[in-house]
Amino acid sequence: MDKANSAPGQPESRPGHDPYGTPPYGQPGPWAPAPPVQRPQPTPPGGTHVPPMSPTPPGGTHVPQAGPPPQHGTPSGGAPRYDPWAAPAGSAAPPPSDHPAPGGPEGPRGRQGGGRLIAGAAAIALVAGLIGGGVGSYLERHGTFSDVRLPQTVTEGAPAPEGSIAGIAQTVLPGVVTLHVSGSGEAGSGTGFVLDDEGHILTNAHVVRPAGQGGAIEVTFSSGDSARAEVVGQDTGYDLAVVKVDGFSGLSPLTLGDSDAVRVGDPVVAIGAPFELAGTVTSGIISATERPITAGGAEADGSDISYVNALQTDAPINPGNSGGPLVDINGRVIGVNSAIRTADGGGGLDPGQSGSVGLGFAIPVNQAKDVAEQLINTGRATYPVIGVTLDTGYLGDGARVGSSGGGPAVVPGGPADDAGLADGDVITAVDGERVRSSDELIVRIRSYRPGDRLELTVERSGDELELAVTLGESSGE
């Protein structure tokens, strides 16, 4: 049978041929082609009227069949070509269904699912907006989008470590005061520190000197409160004075240490009001001990000269520090700042208006304590003497006994007379400590107390003698 004359859909009948076998490549097969692809109609926009679907005709009603769809690729005027995707001949399209597909857009479940999706999307958008707004506000407030912010450590207000400079200052400053003194056509300022709860304050004699007999002294405490003070007593030979404030409560007395226990190299802190800068703290070490110094000398009669066996420190001390405390690492007072070496080339010690060159001197607190107690108890201080007059013009090594005024060089019945000293003797050492001048001898003697016994090394006519002397007592101003 000729393929061209075979009925569509009928297997070819010929001997030895399998009607359901696979045809050669490019020839049509015996099976029905696949139905065309069905594309769903788009869902009409909300609010659009949709006409109802045609009802299914009653049973037995003739339904005309649609003709076969045109064959794709059929050449004009020729036999139709096989299209595997075309509907088979004589087949009818399935009738429309009255029920939409489950879950379709037209069903209730579809409408509910779409509502949930819209509500979820809105909730997510709201939460995202709130989070984004908060983050943006934080970043804007902290300058992320505008100003530069540099990192910085944050430390808590912990107390200063014990023994540190900060810790010492925190302990000592409440007991340090600034003095403003005026009178007799002069004015000046200095430092002092509180001795007890009764209002006694220790300072230098040269600080309160301008007050004279009718001057004024104003004391300013670390809190900023001020009070008037009166001089209790002073001694220019030791350059120490005690003043007192009345009716002032909440004082912070400082603890006194032991200057005899101080060693070279010990750390120290100086506190005062240099150039009226109250509460200034400087630090250094003890550079030397028992450094004999004399300070003052502005008065023609020498009544303002002080003789001190001092502690030397490199802690910066400047004008205004005078009378302030020199303290150890435990905050205990070991000295009273008194003088500095000047850099004017004169080589003198100045309690006045020169600056620090790292050579400061403080009165040892052991000596200051004795003098302060005498000034508080009696209004005056006494100091030890040996009962001789010294030749200040002697240029040799040591201190020579002698008088240029015609009086006796050795006081009759005095300590030196009792020990056997004579006019012309040269004292070269006190208790084994060498002395090189008359000023050094005075300083050494004043580092003792009246009644103390000491050994003097004396040169007489080329011989060296050791003489024991019990110190006498003399009163200051």
Side-chain angles (χ1 to χ4, degrees):
M1 181 182 293
D2 188 3
K3 289 183 181 179
N5 297 325
S6 300
Q10 297 296 324
E12 182 180 2
S13 176
R14 61 184 177 183
H17 173 71
D18 183 4
Y20 299 101
T22 302
Y25 179 80
Q27 295 184 11
W31 310 285
V37 177
Q38 301 294 320
R39 292 181 174 82
Q41 294 297 324
T43 303
T48 304
H49 175 72
V50 179
M53 300 180 62
S54 300
T56 303
T61 304
H62 174 72
V63 178
Q65 295 183 353
Q71 299 294 324
H72 297 282
T74 302
S76 57
R81 297 182 59 185
Y82 171 73
D83 185 355
W85 306 107
S91 63
S97 174
D98 291 340
H99 306 286
E106 296 299 328
R109 183 180 300 178
R111 287 194 295 272
Q112 291 177 1
R116 291 194 188 99
L117 289 176
I118 295 175
I124 293 174
L126 177 61
V127 173
L130 292 175
I131 294 175
V135 173
S137 176
Y138 174 84
L139 296 177
E140 178 65 24
R141 185 164 54 251
H142 287 76
T144 301
F145 299 126
S146 56
D147 297 337
V148 174
R149 293 290 185 268
L150 300 178
Q152 183 180 21
T153 59
V154 178
T155 56
E156 298 180 357
E162 185 177 354
S164 66
I165 303 300
I168 295 169
Q170 186 175 347
T171 301
V172 177
L173 277 171
V176 180
V177 302
T178 302
L179 289 84
H180 294 87
V181 184
S182 60
S184 305
E186 299 180 70
S189 65
T191 308
F193 59 92
V194 179
L195 292 174
D196 54 30
D197 292 325
E198 297 180 8
H200 291 109
I201 296 170
L202 184 62
T203 186
N204 284 140
H206 73 261
V207 172
V208 301
R209 186 176 299 115
Q213 296 298 322
I217 302 174
E218 184 179 75
V219 174
T220 303
F221 295 88
S222 62
S223 63
D225 297 323
S226 297
R228 295 292 294 269
E230 299 293 336
V231 176
V232 174
Q234 59 180 308
D235 186 279
T236 58
Y238 290 113
D239 194 21
L240 291 169
V242 174
V243 301
K244 184 181 181 183
V245 294
D246 292 321
F248 199 91
S249 60
L251 299 176
S252 300
L254 299 188
T255 302
L256 304 183
D258 182 6
S259 55
D260 289 342
V262 173
R263 298 166 298 182
V264 174
D266 283 348
V268 291
V269 173
I271 301 179
F275 301 102
E276 299 192 24
L277 299 174
T280 297
V281 178
T282 58
S283 64
I285 63 168
I286 293 294
S287 305
T289 60
E290 298 185 351
R291 182 74 78 190
I293 66 168
T294 58
E299 300 294 334
D301 60 357
S303 60
D304 63 334
I305 297 177
S306 60
Y307 302 88
V308 180
N309 203 24
L311 299 173
Q312 179 182 327
T313 179
D314 67 349
I317 297 175
N318 291 283
N321 275 109
S322 294
L326 184 70
V327 302
D328 61 15
I329 60 173
N330 296 310
R332 299 174 300 198
V333 180
I334 58 172
V336 181
N337 300 321
S338 180
I340 59 175
R341 174 71 70 176
T342 62
D344 58 3
L349 293 174
D350 182 20
Q353 299 303 312
S354 299
S356 172
V357 294
L359 296 172
F361 302 93
I363 303 167
V365 75
N366 290 8
Q367 187 177 67
K369 174 179 177 293
D370 291 341
V371 174
E373 289 174 347
Q374 294 180 60
L375 295 176
I376 292 172
N377 295 325
T378 67
R380 63 187 181 90
T382 62
Y383 50 87
V385 295
I386 60 174
V388 298
T389 300
L390 300 177
D391 181 5
T392 57
Y394 177 69
L395 301 178
D397 193 16
R400 187 172 68 181
V401 179
S403 175
S404 59
V410 179
V411 177
D417 188 25
D418 294 341
L421 263 71
D423 191 352
D425 286 348
V426 177
I427 303 172
T428 59
V430 176
D431 278 345
E433 295 289 336
R434 190 169 184 83
V435 295
R436 298 175 176 81
S437 65
S438 58
D439 285 347
E440 282 195 21
L441 176 62
I442 296 173
V443 170
R444 296 293 184 192
I445 296 298
R446 290 199 175 185
S447 65
Y448 294 87
R449 297 180 178 90
D452 287 347
R453 185 181 176 86
L454 50 83
E455 295 287 333
L456 298 180
T457 302
V458 178
E459 291 182 356
R460 180 186 295 169
S461 301
D463 297 327
E464 186 174 275
L465 307 175
E466 297 291 335
L467 302 176
V469 178
T470 300
L471 299 177
E473 182 180 71
S474 179
S475 61
E477 296 179 359

